[in-house]
Amino acid sequence: MLHFQNGNLTVFKSTLFQTTTVIIETEQAIIMTDPNWLPEEVKEIRSYIDERLGDRKLYIIYTHSDYDHLIGAGAFPDAFVIASRAFHHNKRKDQIVDKMKAFDRSYYIERDYEHCYPTVDRLITTDNDLLKLGEVTLKFYLSPGHTEDGLFTIVEPYCFFLSGDYLSDVEFPFIYSSYKDYKRTVKKAQSIMDNYNISYHVPGHGNVTDSKEEVMDRLNFSDHYLTSLTTDFEKLEDECRTRYTFFEGMKENHRKNFDLAASELKNKKR
């Protein structure tokens, strides 16, 4: 459903996990991220695009390869796809599509499109990679840690920060690929906040904010979480329970984060 709209920035937010889809309108293009979740939600996004696209080109930035962020991809077969090189070379493409299908089977969901893993048209291989689309410049930063193939995007001249599954107000850090990479990515986010006058930040789950203080609070807690994860696990769990309304539903991820971080740190000492 429509979550936020101001000027050329529109954000839809799913009922499921508050997963976001960003839509940015420019003179030459419409830029979107991660179309998702339920069929009626994807249809609403598709209708919104169709009503406005005209002779402009549709670009989709996939922030990472978690299936919940790709589950609407099949509804936009003609879009120009932007994603990281690691996203393109993901060896688990078939398994990710299988997860989409399994989700639909579990809830008897029917869709008017076929699930697919997006084919990437523009690979992002390094930080500060640029793509100019008329008056708009997309600047990209690789953001591994949550997954191996994460991607930050800064949309200039508007200074929108699209962070994917980092800096959420409804989730603590979910570490699926690397604790060490996640820590480096949080430092990268800090550098972005230091070097850009961010006007709006949109996370992959949760709420849009135009408050730099709010973004910094999310960032600082992410840093605190990563630092405390292996040194004060139980206290950190209490903090998360207070901070995040849905913590009990995410608690298993907190334990998995600890196990992954502890394993990485143990291997580092060998």
Side-chain angles (χ1 to χ4, degrees):
M1 61 181 176
L2 184 64
H3 163 58
F4 177 87
Q5 193 164 40
N6 187 28
N8 64 340
L9 174 64
T10 299
V11 181
F12 287 85
K13 185 166 68 172
S14 174
T15 299
L16 299 182
F17 304 107
Q18 300 191 26
T19 315
T20 60
T21 295
V22 177
I23 297 172
I24 299 164
E25 298 186 54
T26 76
E27 291 182 6
Q28 295 187 5
I30 292 182
I31 304 157
M32 180 169 65
T33 65
D34 301 350
N36 70 87
W37 253 108
L38 298 172
E40 293 306 314
E41 294 172 336
V42 176
K43 284 182 181 179
E44 183 181 9
I45 294 166
R46 177 80 250 188
S47 295
Y48 187 91
I49 294 291
D50 288 344
E51 289 170 4
R52 290 160 175 78
L53 188 60
D55 59 359
R56 292 180 289 183
K57 191 169 184 176
L58 176 63
Y59 294 79
I60 299 182
I61 303 167
Y62 287 103
T63 64
H64 62 294
S65 63
D66 280 346
Y67 85 94
D68 55 324
H69 292 259
L70 310 184
I71 200 165
F76 302 89
D78 299 325
F80 185 95
V81 172
I82 303 165
S84 70
R85 178 168 54 188
F87 180 101
H88 175 67
H89 290 294
N90 193 316
K91 295 180 180 179
R92 299 179 58 256
K93 294 177 183 178
D94 290 342
Q95 293 94 314
I96 291 167
V97 173
D98 286 344
K99 284 186 176 181
M100 302 179 204
K101 294 177 180 178
F103 172 81
D104 285 354
R105 285 195 302 270
S106 296
Y107 297 99
Y108 307 166
I109 289 175
E110 296 179 334
R111 299 178 189 264
D112 59 3
Y113 60 88
E114 296 294 324
H115 287 305
C116 65
Y117 190 96
T119 299
V120 182
D121 299 295
R122 175 64 155 82
L123 293 179
I124 306 304
T125 60
T126 62
D127 287 344
N128 296 303
D129 200 344
L130 303 178
L131 178 60
K132 292 184 180 294
L133 303 175
E135 78 276 21
V136 170
T137 299
L138 304 179
K139 183 175 284 189
F140 302 101
Y141 297 87
L142 303 177
S143 58
H146 172 67
T147 59
E148 294 178 350
D149 50 19
L151 193 64
F152 287 161
T153 306
I154 305 297
V155 184
E156 296 183 303
Y158 311 115
C159 282
F160 301 152
F161 180 16
L162 317 179
S163 66
D165 281 9
Y166 296 86
L167 310 184
S168 172
D169 61 325
V170 296
E171 293 179 347
F172 54 83
F174 283 19
I175 310 167
Y176 293 152
S177 65
S178 170
Y179 172 74
K180 290 178 286 187
D181 282 349
Y182 205 116
K183 291 188 74 172
R184 284 190 285 265
T185 291
V186 168
K187 288 182 180 179
K188 194 176 293 186
Q190 177 68 67
S191 178
I192 287 171
M193 293 304 298
D194 290 342
N195 288 285
Y196 293 92
N197 184 24
I198 297 301
S199 60
Y200 287 102
H201 165 245
V202 189
H205 300 270
N207 295 294
V208 179
T209 183
D210 62 355
S211 166
K212 183 172 183 178
E213 291 74 19
E214 169 65 19
V215 182
M216 290 305 302
D217 179 66
R218 300 178 190 184
L219 194 157
N220 290 334
F221 187 81
S222 293
D223 184 61
H224 168 68
Y225 180 93
L226 296 168
T227 301
S228 303
L229 182 59
T230 58
T231 60
D232 207 344
F233 180 83
E234 292 184 359
K235 181 181 178 183
L236 183 61
E237 182 171 306
D238 289 339
E239 291 180 53
C240 287
R241 185 173 287 106
T242 299
R243 184 179 179 95
Y244 300 110
T245 301
F246 306 105
F247 176 75
E248 292 303 325
M250 302 183 285
K251 188 164 60 174
E252 183 179 351
N253 290 94
H254 181 51
R255 169 55 66 178
K256 289 179 178 178
N257 285 347
F258 172 82
D259 292 342
L260 188 150
S263 176
E264 282 192 33
L265 294 174
K266 182 179 179 180
N267 289 336
K268 184 179 179 181
K269 292 177 181 179
R270 289 178 178 175

